Amino acid sequence: MCGNNMSVPLLAEAVTVSGTEKETAAVIFLHGLGDSGHGWADTMTAIRLPHVKYICPHAITSSEHGSVCFCRFDLMGLSPDSPEDEAGIKRAAENIKAIIDHEVKNGIPANRVMLGGFSQGGALSLYTALTCQQQLAGVVALSCWLPLHKSFPQAASTSGNRDMPILQCHGEMDPMIPVQFGAMTAEKLKVIVNPQKITFRTYPGLMHSSCPQEMAAVKEFIEKQLPRI
């Protein structure tokens, strides 16, 4: 089973940006609603480090109400009090944990694996890391929120990531996930993990997207948390 991508559903079709030397670390980066792994694979290629493998899975397509939606879990609303797809979020997190386990089996320790994502993908990366028993290298959370936020900090009681560094970035003009939601998420994270490990950066004029300054911060964060060994 070791090395067999077909045993991990999200890995079978994932876009992987390989390192240019021996890979000693991995970044699993999750896209947002309606996107695919290709766009973020291109972005990761532009900031990649030679010893890091970047894995950009495509969300599993599911059928809801007779139509096909391209998502990891259903979004029922984009406000702090909106109902949430708890079962879908937990199922999606288990799929991401399966990728982490796969990388560990293939020689990259969990503490050399970083999760990241944009929008819904960022939300899932936060939830997965905070409920993961393995100690991870960190999380890059772009333009997102913490799913099932009312279940924390209790949901993180068995987490190995109470001291995990988190880089959270948000556009100040985001019309989909207002920057206030990002700020509320950062405050919530400070009661779940070591508050000194939380970095929250905002970008003037940036909408629900990324920008070169943000990606420079992401590259710097990855370099710091996943140095060459």
Side-chain angles (χ1 to χ4, degrees):
M1 182 166 151
C2 191
N4 178 9
N5 287 358
M6 295 306 292
S7 64
V8 183
L10 286 181
L11 267 181
E13 301 293 333
V15 184
T16 299
V17 179
S18 300
T20 56
E21 59 187 51
K22 179 178 170 58
E23 295 169 343
T24 61
V27 173
I28 302 168
F29 198 92
L30 312 176
H31 65 78
L33 186 68
D35 199 357
S36 74
H38 289 291
W40 284 100
D42 290 343
T43 302
M44 293 296 115
T45 299
I47 63 167
R48 70 175 170 177
L49 302 174
H51 60 282
V52 178
K53 177 202 299 189
Y54 300 85
I55 302 167
C56 300
H58 304 305
I60 294 175
T61 304
S62 63
S63 179
E64 282 297 317
H65 311 298
S67 62
V68 174
C69 76
F70 195 70
C71 52
R72 291 187 174 82
F73 53 87
D74 286 331
L75 285 177
M76 301 176 182
L78 290 173
S79 74
D81 296 319
S82 294
E84 295 184 272
D85 176 17
E86 181 174 355
I89 291 166
K90 291 180 175 179
R91 184 170 58 248
E94 291 305 312
N95 286 336
I96 304 307
K97 290 172 186 175
I99 300 179
I100 297 169
D101 289 342
H102 184 272
E103 292 308 302
V104 171
K105 288 176 183 176
N106 282 281
I108 296 179
N111 65 4
R112 297 279 294 170
V113 176
M114 180 179 292
L115 296 185
F118 175 80
S119 192
Q120 190 185 36
L124 180 56
S125 68
L126 279 175
Y127 183 84
T128 303
L130 293 173
T131 57
C132 183
Q133 294 184 8
Q134 295 166 298
Q135 183 181 350
L136 303 177
V139 174
V140 173
L142 308 182
S143 304
C144 66
W145 69 98
L146 176 61
L148 305 181
H149 62 95
K150 292 178 182 177
S151 69
F152 289 96
Q154 290 82 2
S157 60
T158 62
S159 173
N161 294 297
R162 306 297 288 275
D163 205 43
M164 173 184 65
I166 298 175
L167 173 64
Q168 196 188 345
C169 300
H170 217 110
E172 293 182 7
M173 300 296 289
D174 191 330
M176 291 187 63
I177 315 293
V179 68
Q180 291 89 341
F181 292 2
M184 290 166 58
T185 295
E187 291 306 307
K188 180 73 175 185
L189 290 172
K190 289 176 182 177
V191 303
I192 303 170
V193 303
N194 181 346
Q196 295 182 330
K197 295 296 183 77
I198 307 294
T199 301
F200 180 50
R201 296 188 178 184
T202 63
Y203 296 86
L206 182 63
M207 300 182 75
H208 194 62
S209 183
S210 63
C211 65
Q213 295 91 337
E214 182 183 66
M215 295 318 299
V218 170
K219 181 178 182 180
E220 180 183 339
F221 181 77
I222 295 173
E223 281 183 303
K224 182 178 180 181
Q225 307 305 331
L226 296 174
R228 183 187 271 112
I229 56 174

